Amino acid sequence: EAQVTQNPRYLITVTGKKLTVTCSQNMNHEYMSWYRQDPGLGLRQIYYSMNVEVTDKGDVPEGYKVSRKEKRNFPLILESPSPNQTSLYFCASSRDGRNTEAFFGQGTRLTVV
Amino acid sequence: AQRVTQPEKLLSVFKGAPVELKCNYSYSGSPELFWYVQYSRQRLQLLLRHISRESIKGFTADLNKGETSFHLKKPFAQEEDSAMYYCALSGTGFQKLVFGTGTRLLVSP
């Protein structure tokens, strides 16, 4: 089944403790991205990647890192999480970044205390 | 800069009533518009895109470049249409989707 898989689905952590949210897609898509969803703000793009080893900042990149060593994986790294990063995170992939359908993961609900 | 505006946070209608979810965009180039839907406890998924000119689950959307709008319409709402709806924009020269803030549609029996 074609899908985007994120892990974990839920995570509670403490301020400053490094964490990684994994994202994997099995559709051989070149384009992958991370969004955060906050009430009243919709989805905002954090980082995106157009291909292996090619990443770029989205609209809200501060406090996040990403890597794209393989086509299928696009992990999101929070080196020193803070409470304002408490949010619902979505990973997405698409054939390209423009007019093709984006496929989303199930979401990761992160709480930083 | 590219921008998508969905002016209604919540739209509440009765079953069988017509629905129109508004979406306006700001982009000087040639836009590509999408509607995504998120049902309760499900992941975000594509509902329709303007380039396909299709009707999905009874929903249609017409791109009006003069009014820079891409409103989503359905003549007779069903309870199963209750969900969060996001309008999204892409276009030449930028490799991403820009989302609006979303409209929650609530269809009551």
Side-chain angles (χ1 to χ4, degrees):
Chain A
E1 180 189 352
Q3 62 182 357
V4 178
T5 304
Q6 294 177 229
N7 279 296
R9 294 287 309 279
Y10 303 91
L11 179 60
I12 301 175
T13 190
V14 296
T15 300
K17 186 177 181 183
K18 180 179 178 180
L19 66 91
T20 299
V21 184
T22 64
C23 174
S24 180
Q25 51 94 4
N26 61 0
M27 295 168 279
N28 201 37
H29 284 163
E30 292 190 348
Y31 186 90
M32 297 185 75
S33 59
W34 277 102
Y35 294 87
R36 59 178 290 172
Q37 184 183 37
D38 301 290
L41 297 176
L43 282 88
R44 294 178 293 168
Q45 192 181 55
I46 303 170
Y47 267 94
Y48 66 95
S49 168
M50 289 193 283
N51 214 325
V52 175
E53 302 292 3
V54 180
T55 64
D56 208 347
K57 296 177 180 179
D59 297 314
V60 287
E62 293 77 21
Y64 305 94
K65 284 175 57 177
V66 292
S67 70
R68 189 90 181 274
K69 293 185 172 61
E70 307 164 280
K71 201 170 190 178
R72 63 169 49 222
N73 295 322
F74 190 46
L76 179 69
I77 303 155
L78 284 72
E79 295 269 2
S80 182
S82 61
N84 65 10
Q85 292 178 298
T86 293
S87 187
L88 180 58
Y89 291 87
F90 288 99
C91 179
S93 77
S94 60
R95 188 162 49 83
D96 63 47
R98 291 187 45 223
N99 62 354
T100 56
E101 178 178 358
F103 292 83
F104 284 81
Q106 321 95 299
T108 296
R109 186 166 293 281
L110 171 66
T111 302
V112 183
V113 298
Chain B
Q2 310 87 19
R3 188 181 181 92
V4 176
T5 302
Q6 293 180 251
E8 303 136 330
K9 287 187 177 179
L10 172 66
L11 186 60
S12 186
V13 302
F14 288 106
K15 177 182 171 181
V19 168
E20 181 179 66
L21 286 81
K22 291 185 169 47
C23 171
N24 288 89
Y25 67 91
S26 174
Y27 177 54
S28 57
S30 181
E32 294 166 19
L33 277 299
F34 306 81
W35 277 98
Y36 280 81
V37 62
Q38 189 176 27
Y39 300 104
S40 179
R41 294 189 175 83
Q42 293 188 29
R43 64 185 73 199
L44 207 66
Q45 57 188 284
L46 179 67
L47 180 63
L48 55 81
R49 59 187 121 183
H50 93 272
I51 200 168
S52 302
R53 293 187 163 272
E54 56 197 347
S55 172
I56 302 292
K57 298 184 178 182
F59 285 98
T60 59
D62 291 317
L63 177 60
N64 186 323
K65 291 188 178 180
E67 295 183 359
T68 60
S69 68
F70 188 57
H71 303 328
L72 183 68
K73 300 177 184 179
K74 184 169 183 176
F76 306 103
Q78 303 299 314
E79 288 179 68
E80 56 265 30
D81 295 329
S82 296
M84 194 75 176
Y85 291 81
Y86 289 96
C87 183
L89 163 74
S90 185
T92 307
F94 63 103
Q95 292 283 338
K96 67 177 182 180
L97 281 171
V98 177
F99 284 88
T101 50
T103 298
R104 182 169 295 284
L105 175 62
L106 183 60
V107 182
S108 304

